[in-house]
């Protein structure tokens, strides 16, 4: 674990890396930054890497600029409840395991650009994303259903996915709002019925 936040922090122009193997039983893995439910994290123009997830977020999150990546969950594991992260001007992606480190997860279940979900309590989140480049070797991004997650929504504009793999929307309660300026459509998902195409420009509405 590179950084763990329970308070209010701002990180600027930094390199944060977490190295470890990944055990299939979940006993060993690394996270670049863990932002806990009571945490408020603002991060600008930084690089965050780990083997399991770049930033694992359960609190208040503002991201502007930078590169966020990991082997398993990609740049972000968004696993809060009733939260509204804002992520802009960033590269978000899966990556290879670093030299000398081993993952026991080798037959699927990795290679996401980012993940929304994590357990049965990860519900009713609204994520706003603007001007991002997203790559996942297996999926650009993934709305989980495995824990019974419900009612998670992504509002995204001016962004592109750099893979021909499908976006995975785990169930009908999750929604993907595709705003202005993206390079993908409902047909780039496994569940077009959960996609709403708009001409909206999604920005932070709290300042």
């Amino acid at each position: 674990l590179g950084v763990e936040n329970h308070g209010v922090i701002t990180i600027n122009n930094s390199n944060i890396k977490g190295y470890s193997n990944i055990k299939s039983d979940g006993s060993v893995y690394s996270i670049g930054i863990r932002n806990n439910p009571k945490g408020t994290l603002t991060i600008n123009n930084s690089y965050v890497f780990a083997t399991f997830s770049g930033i694992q977020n359960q609190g208040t999150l503002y991201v502007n600029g930078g590169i966020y990546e990991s082997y398993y969950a990609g740049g972000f594991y968004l696993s809060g409840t009733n939260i509204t992260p804002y992520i802009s001007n960033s590269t978000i992606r899966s990556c290879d395991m670093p030299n000398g480190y081993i993952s026991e997860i080798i037959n699927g279940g990795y290679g996401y650009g980012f993940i929304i979900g994590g357990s049965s309590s990860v519900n009713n989140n609204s994520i706003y994303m603007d001007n991002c480049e997203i790559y996942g070797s297996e999926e650009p991004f993934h709305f989980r259903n495995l824990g019974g997650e419900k009612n998670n929504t992504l509002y995204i504009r001016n962004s592109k996915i750099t893979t021909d793999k499908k976006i995975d929307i785990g169930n009908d309660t999750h929604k993907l709002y595709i705003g202005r300026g993206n390079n993908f459509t409902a047909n780039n998902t496994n569940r077009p019925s959960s996609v709403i195409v708009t001409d909206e420009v999604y920005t932070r509405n709290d300042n």
Side-chain angles (χ1 to χ4, degrees):
L1 180 62
V3 174
E4 181 151 11
N5 179 45
H6 294 267
V8 180
I9 64 170
T10 298
I11 297 172
N12 297 317
N13 307 310
S14 297
N15 289 299
I16 298 170
K17 301 177 183 180
Y19 289 91
S20 77
N21 297 322
I22 299 177
K23 298 285 287 183
S24 59
D25 62 4
S27 63
V28 177
Y29 58 90
S30 67
I31 295 170
I33 301 173
R34 180 186 286 132
N35 189 40
N36 285 278
K38 294 183 179 180
T40 297
L41 169 63
T42 301
I43 183 165
N44 301 305
N45 302 313
S46 294
Y47 173 72
V48 180
F49 160 83
T51 57
F52 184 78
S53 59
I55 295 179
Q56 188 154 330
N57 183 70
Q58 296 176 296
T60 300
L61 177 67
Y62 304 110
V63 180
N64 184 21
I67 299 172
Y68 305 89
E69 65 180 0
S70 76
Y71 173 80
Y72 176 81
F76 298 94
Y77 206 135
L78 301 169
S79 55
T81 302
N82 297 309
I83 61 169
T84 306
Y86 294 87
I87 302 167
S88 60
N89 306 313
S90 300
T91 297
I92 305 162
R93 65 194 184 196
S94 65
C95 63
D96 294 334
M97 285 288 286
N99 290 336
Y101 293 85
I102 297 171
S103 172
E104 292 183 352
I105 304 171
I106 57 175
N107 294 314
Y110 66 93
Y112 307 104
F114 65 91
I115 293 176
I116 303 168
S119 71
S120 61
S121 65
V122 182
N123 304 316
N124 307 312
N125 297 292
S126 296
I127 298 101
Y128 287 80
M129 194 167 285
D130 175 25
N131 192 34
C132 292
E133 183 170 312
I134 303 157
Y135 169 77
S137 61
E138 294 302 317
E139 297 174 15
F141 52 91
H142 179 75
F143 291 77
R144 279 180 96 254
N145 180 53
L146 186 62
E149 295 91 337
K150 295 179 180 178
N151 301 318
N152 294 317
T153 302
L154 173 64
Y155 300 87
I156 186 167
R157 64 150 297 203
N158 196 31
S159 296
K160 63 180 180 179
I161 57 174
T162 57
T163 176
D164 59 1
K165 304 293 180 66
K166 294 277 190 180
I167 296 162
D168 191 338
I169 303 173
N171 62 54
D172 289 334
T173 73
H174 303 314
K175 301 300 177 186
L176 172 61
Y177 282 76
I178 298 179
R180 187 182 304 176
N182 298 297
N183 78 333
F184 54 94
T185 70
N187 290 330
N188 294 102
T189 77
N190 69 323
R191 197 178 297 269
S193 61
S194 290
V195 177
I196 300 92
V197 178
T198 77
D199 194 41
E200 295 295 323
V201 176
Y202 302 117
T203 58
R204 281 178 59 177
N205 58 10
D206 65 335
N207 57 12

